[in-house]
Structure formats: C-alpha cells, structure tokens
Amino acid sequence: MATEHDEISASDFEARFRRLTTALDAGHNQDCIECHRCSACARSTFCSDSERLVGCHYCVASTNCTDCSHSSHCARLVGCHHCRLSEDCTASSYLVRCTALANCSYCFGCVGLSGKDFHILNEPYERSEYFKVTARLTRELRLERHT
C-alpha cells in the first residue's frame, strides 16, 4: 500500500532537509513552548539561556542536550534528569560536576562510571553519608548558585 511518504523524490528530500537545517543553523527554535533566550532548540519547554536542546524541559544554561529535564549548566547529556555542571552523560539522574557517566544516579564529581549510585569522586558512599558530604561540599564549593 503506497502512502504519500513513498512519493518523496531525492531532490524534494534534499530541498526539505536544507530548509530544516538552515532554520536550525540560524538559531531558530522549533516547536518550543516558553523557552527564553534559547537558540536552535526543538520540542523543548520552559528552558532558558540554552542552545541546541531537543526534547528538554526546565533546563537552564545548557547546550547540546537531548531528552533531559531539570538540569542546569550541562553539556551533551542524553536522557538525564536533575543534573548540574555535568557533561557527556547518558541515562543518569542527580549528578553534580560529573563527566562521561552512564546509567548512574546520585554521583558528585565522578568521571567515567556506569551503573553506579551514591558515589563521590568515583568512590561509593552509604546513602546517608553521601547526602551529608555533598551538602557540605556544595556549600564549600559554592555550587548552590548553579541550580
């Protein structure tokens, strides 16, 4: 059964693709709701001061993130939530100053971990101790301003 999508020609594809990439390269947001001071974002809501977010919600001062929410000052995250000052992480939550984590939660200052929870500087902590130490470090490092 043929559909209207079967009828697209190579030249039509190229022209339509060029229009889409030109709009993105020009910094235009596409299908965003209540995003402020954002550029080249798509399908995002309630974000601010960010660039090239796709499907993100409530993110601030972040770039090149996809399917993230409630994160700030982050770069190149995919499927992450409630992260701060982190980059190159995937499918993780509640990260602070982390780099290259996958499937982790509640990590602070960690690099290159996968499938870990409640770690500080790549070392495991008991849940209650983790929150005590990170609260103190957050104050001492003055990270509370990056929320």
Side-chain angles (χ1 to χ4, degrees):
M1 177 171 171
T3 67
E4 65 184 72
H5 300 294
D6 292 336
E7 303 301 319
I8 189 168
S9 67
S11 62
D12 186 37
F13 171 87
E14 289 297 336
R16 290 170 61 186
F17 182 73
R18 241 186 330 278
R19 279 195 304 272
L20 290 169
T21 57
T22 300
L24 189 63
D25 290 341
H28 299 297
N29 293 330
Q30 298 175 5
D31 300 321
C32 292
I33 299 171
E34 291 297 320
C35 289
H36 301 282
R37 298 172 307 282
C38 292
S39 64
C41 296
R43 299 183 340 275
S44 297
T45 59
F46 304 104
C47 297
S48 63
D49 304 304
S50 296
E51 294 180 20
R52 294 189 176 268
L53 303 181
V54 177
C56 292
H57 311 287
Y58 300 97
C59 292
V60 177
S62 295
T63 58
N64 296 304
C65 296
T66 301
D67 296 327
C68 296
S69 69
H70 299 89
S71 296
S72 66
H73 301 86
C74 292
R76 299 172 306 281
L77 302 183
V78 177
C80 293
H81 310 286
H82 300 279
C83 298
R84 293 185 295 144
L85 301 160
S86 296
E87 58 187 35
D88 301 315
C89 298
T90 303
S92 298
S93 300
Y94 300 100
L95 308 179
V96 179
R97 282 187 77 179
C98 292
T99 301
L101 270 59
N103 301 306
C104 293
S105 64
Y106 295 102
C107 291
F108 194 104
C110 294
V111 177
L113 297 180
S114 180
K116 302 294 182 184
D117 300 320
F118 300 106
H119 278 59
I120 301 172
L121 297 171
N122 287 22
E123 298 294 326
Y125 279 72
E126 291 297 319
R127 180 185 173 108
S128 60
E129 190 66 18
Y130 172 88
F131 287 112
K132 283 187 221 172
V133 173
T134 59
R136 180 181 52 77
L137 285 171
T138 297
R139 283 189 310 275
E140 290 176 9
L141 295 169
R142 299 177 186 220
L143 298 179
E144 61 273 345
R145 67 177 181 240
H146 295 287
T147 56

